[in-house]
Amino acid sequence: QKEVEQNSGPLSVPEGAIASLNCTYSDRGSQSFFWYRQYSGKSPELIMSIYSNGDKEDGRFTAQLNKASQYVSLLIRDSQPSDSATYLCAVNNVNTNAGKSTFGDGTTLTVKP
Amino acid sequence: GAGVSQSPSNKVTEKGKDVELRCDPISGHTALYWYRQSLGQGLEFLIYFQGNSAPDKSGLPSDRFSAERTGGSVSTLTIQRTQQEDSAVYLCASSLGTQGGIDEQFFGPGTRLTVL
């Protein structure tokens, strides 16, 4: 079992819809969770961080964390074609791996006009 | 302020040659990561530096790969006797540090390595 698992996709949604991206992790002691967006041919860029159970909203993006179920999700409301990218989930437990974060392999999202 | 910079942006080399890839992290960032990404694949962790601690080298694929970080700042990834399977984009990332798990990483633009 991978430490951080994501559906590879591709996930395809129509423009204006809600895109839901999911990530599960195996280290129950993880404290910090991150979503990165990577456009084709570009480097990943951080879009959301979440540290507490519940929802965190930033514009059209909402991160949801459920530590008991060991999953974190990213919702993108009013999806735009410019949201088409690969979304990487990263998880961190400061008490293990010397605090090194672990990345999932990413979910590719396509938003169709 | 300046972000993470990497050089060169592209490197073409012949099989068997050594290459050095450079990363300049964001000033004040104590954590530095190297990753490798092949076309269409996820990030492959290579090595992790955190402050003055011994680096985590658990991701280095072979003893041909090594990295150092001088003065807690600039890092160099060296690949000796390059092979065609080393062809990939090499990404560097830095963060303020992982105290409390606040490991928000900022990535450089990457070095695209092609081994002929």
Side-chain angles (χ1 to χ4, degrees):
Chain A
Q1 180 189 10
K2 288 185 176 180
E3 293 183 51
V4 180
E5 296 214 40
Q6 299 181 252
N7 287 327
S8 61
L11 172 66
S12 181
V13 300
E15 183 174 357
I18 296 175
S20 178
L21 305 162
N22 298 312
C23 172
T24 58
Y25 58 95
S26 61
D27 183 352
R28 183 171 289 278
S30 298
Q31 307 111 345
S32 310
F33 308 85
F34 310 93
W35 283 100
Y36 293 79
R37 176 176 62 199
Q38 186 175 24
Y39 291 117
S40 181
K42 301 295 185 181
S43 298
E45 58 178 328
L46 179 71
I47 55 172
M48 290 286 285
S49 307
I50 186 165
Y51 306 100
S52 303
N53 276 328
D55 295 358
K56 179 182 178 181
E57 187 175 319
D58 183 1
R60 295 186 296 111
F61 297 95
T62 299
Q64 299 176 318
L65 175 60
N66 184 324
K67 290 186 179 180
S69 300
Q70 294 175 242
Y71 83 78
V72 56
S73 61
L74 180 70
L75 301 179
I76 307 175
R77 290 183 300 282
D78 188 24
S79 295
Q80 301 297 309
S82 58
D83 295 325
S84 298
T86 296
Y87 290 80
L88 302 168
C89 171
V91 175
N92 185 285
N93 182 345
V94 69
N95 297 312
T96 62
N97 296 327
K100 179 188 73 184
S101 293
T102 301
F103 279 81
D105 288 337
T107 298
T108 299
L109 171 67
T110 300
V111 180
K112 296 189 174 181
Chain B
V4 178
S5 61
Q6 292 186 245
S7 61
S9 55
N10 278 286
K11 177 71 176 179
V12 180
T13 190
E14 294 180 348
K15 178 181 173 181
K17 300 283 189 182
D18 297 352
V19 295
E20 284 189 353
L21 310 180
R22 177 186 168 106
C23 173
D24 279 273
I26 293 172
S27 177
H29 280 194
T30 63
L32 187 148
Y33 295 81
W34 283 99
Y35 300 94
R36 179 169 70 175
Q37 190 171 39
S38 300
L39 191 62
Q41 303 299 308
L43 295 177
E44 178 187 3
F45 164 76
L46 297 178
I47 189 167
Y48 162 61
F49 296 90
Q50 170 54 55
N52 295 320
S53 302
D56 178 346
K57 304 178 182 180
S58 61
L60 295 178
S62 77
D63 59 8
R64 296 187 295 105
F65 289 72
S66 63
E68 62 178 20
R69 188 176 184 192
T70 54
S73 181
V74 171
S75 178
T76 302
L77 177 69
T78 301
I79 309 173
Q80 296 178 310
R81 305 182 301 282
T82 52
Q83 304 295 312
Q84 289 181 331
E85 59 263 30
D86 299 334
S87 296
V89 175
Y90 289 80
L91 292 164
C92 174
S94 71
S95 74
L96 275 173
T98 54
Q99 283 83 8
I102 313 296
D103 189 35
E104 298 180 344
Q105 296 182 33
F106 294 84
F107 284 79
T111 293
R112 181 175 298 278
L113 175 65
T114 303
V115 182
L116 302 177

